[in-house]
C-alpha cells in the first residue's frame, strides 16, 4: 500500500519539529517522492548525516510502504 505525502511529512516533523518540509509525488503513484527538508538540526552535519536523520524519522518505511524518496536537506 502506498504511503501518503502527509504521512511522510508527519513522520519527519515528529523527529524534526522545526522542519520545513516540501514533498512532491514524482510519478503520481504515491510510491515515488522527492522531499526537501530544512531544519536547524542539519547545521554543522555532513549531507550523509542529514539524510540519515531523515531516514531515521521514517522509521523503517523505506523499501516497504515508501518505495523511493529523493531527499534534499539544508540548514536554514
Amino acid at each position: 500500500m502506498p504511503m501518503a505525502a502527509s504521512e511522510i511529512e508527519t513522520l519527519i516533523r515528529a523527529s524534526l519539529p522545526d522542519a520545513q518540509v516540501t514533498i512532491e509525488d514524482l510519478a503520481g503513484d504515491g510510491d515515488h517522492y522527492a522531499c526537501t527538508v530544512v531544519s536547524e538540526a542539519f547545521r554543522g552535519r555532513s549531507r550523509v548525516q542529514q539524510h540519515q536523520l531523515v531516514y531515521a524519522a521514517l522509521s523503517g518505511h523505506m523499501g516497504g510502504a515508501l518505495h523511493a524518496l529523493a531527499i534534499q536537506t539544508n540548514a536554514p
Side-chain angles (χ1 to χ4, degrees):
M1 174 177 229
M3 190 172 205
S6 61
E7 187 177 354
I8 296 168
E9 183 174 349
T10 298
L11 289 169
I12 292 171
R13 285 182 190 263
S15 288
L16 302 165
D18 73 319
Q20 297 172 6
V21 182
T22 305
I23 299 176
E24 179 184 357
D25 188 344
L26 298 175
D29 60 2
D31 239 4
H32 298 82
Y33 291 99
C35 79
T36 302
V37 183
V38 179
S39 173
E40 189 61 42
F42 299 148
R43 190 170 307 283
R45 297 180 188 260
S46 71
R47 188 74 62 197
V48 169
Q49 290 171 324
Q50 294 173 18
H51 287 206
Q52 287 172 335
L53 287 173
V54 174
Y55 284 125
L58 296 172
S59 308
H61 291 282
M62 286 301 304
L66 183 56
H67 177 71
L69 180 66
I71 300 172
Q72 181 176 349
T73 54
N74 294 298

